[in-house]
Amino acid sequence: MTIYVLNGPNLNLLGSREPEIYGRASLDDIGKVLDAEAAKAGRKIAFRQSNHEGVLVDWVQEAGAKGAGLALNPGAYTHTSIALHDALKAISIPKIELHLSNVHAREAFRRHSYISPAVDGVICGLGAAGYLTALDALIRLIDKKPFP
Ligand code: CA2
């Protein structure tokens, strides 16, 4: 079954601006590396981005119905979206909130997340490598083997 990796608003701009915060990799670069790593582990990923909250809600529901696990970088919707909170609460697959930057070391408004109470774990501040950490953690949760 597929592992969903969903990305929210403005993440399509990755690699083009603010590299000091978000790094130099484009979202496409991240998707390709993740695809290759998932294949090595015998998994398939659905790697997607949308600027639209409702589309992300639809994809979270789809992941809940058809997916094995979900990593979500909700972008700025992290700090505003009760709709994504509710959608995540309604699904029972392993789910991880993911951020490139360390949201706790930035502006005060980024310290509150509507997403964190609705997921199994949170990864932030590791840059693009955080996507690999999320994939690894999801596979462990899916296989119910969190620690050797
Ligand atoms: O650190 C993250 O991954 C964030 O989810 C990124 C969001 C931000 O609102 C969250 O607080 C933390 C913003 C994504 C914007 O991405 C850009 C990338 C390049 C240039 C401009 C924006």
Side-chain angles (χ1 to χ4, degrees):
M1 260 161 69
T2 303
I3 295 173
Y4 282 68
V5 183
L6 304 180
N7 297 280
N10 295 309
L11 287 161
N12 54 311
L13 300 176
L14 274 187
S16 66
R17 266 173 265 150
E18 304 195 67
E20 65 290 349
I21 302 176
Y22 298 118
R24 297 198 177 278
S26 69
L27 202 59
D28 206 40
D29 293 336
I30 296 173
K32 282 186 182 135
V33 171
L34 214 59
D35 237 353
E37 287 302 309
K40 278 189 217 163
R43 317 284 162 144
K44 247 186 68 185
I45 59 166
F47 191 86
R48 300 180 190 167
Q49 187 274 335
S50 175
N51 291 328
H52 303 279
E53 187 175 14
V55 172
L56 291 164
V57 168
D58 286 343
W59 289 345
V60 168
Q61 290 182 5
E62 182 185 318
K66 297 202 287 200
L70 167 66
L72 172 65
N73 183 345
Y77 291 141
T78 306
H79 320 295
T80 63
S81 181
I82 297 170
L84 278 172
H85 171 100
D86 289 345
L88 287 162
K89 278 285 205 188
I91 66 171
S92 52
I93 56 173
K95 46 204 160 168
I96 288 180
E97 175 185 350
L98 172 63
H99 301 284
L100 292 151
S101 65
N102 179 356
V103 286
H104 301 288
R106 300 182 63 192
E107 302 96 324
F109 67 81
R110 293 188 203 276
R111 280 181 219 141
H112 179 261
S113 169
Y114 281 99
I115 305 306
S116 302
V119 293
D120 297 297
V122 181
I123 295 165
C124 79
L126 303 180
Y131 282 77
L132 295 173
T133 307
L135 177 65
D136 181 61
L138 279 174
I139 290 171
R140 289 176 193 281
L141 287 168
I142 291 162
D143 293 350
K144 297 191 179 7
K145 287 184 189 151
F147 192 72

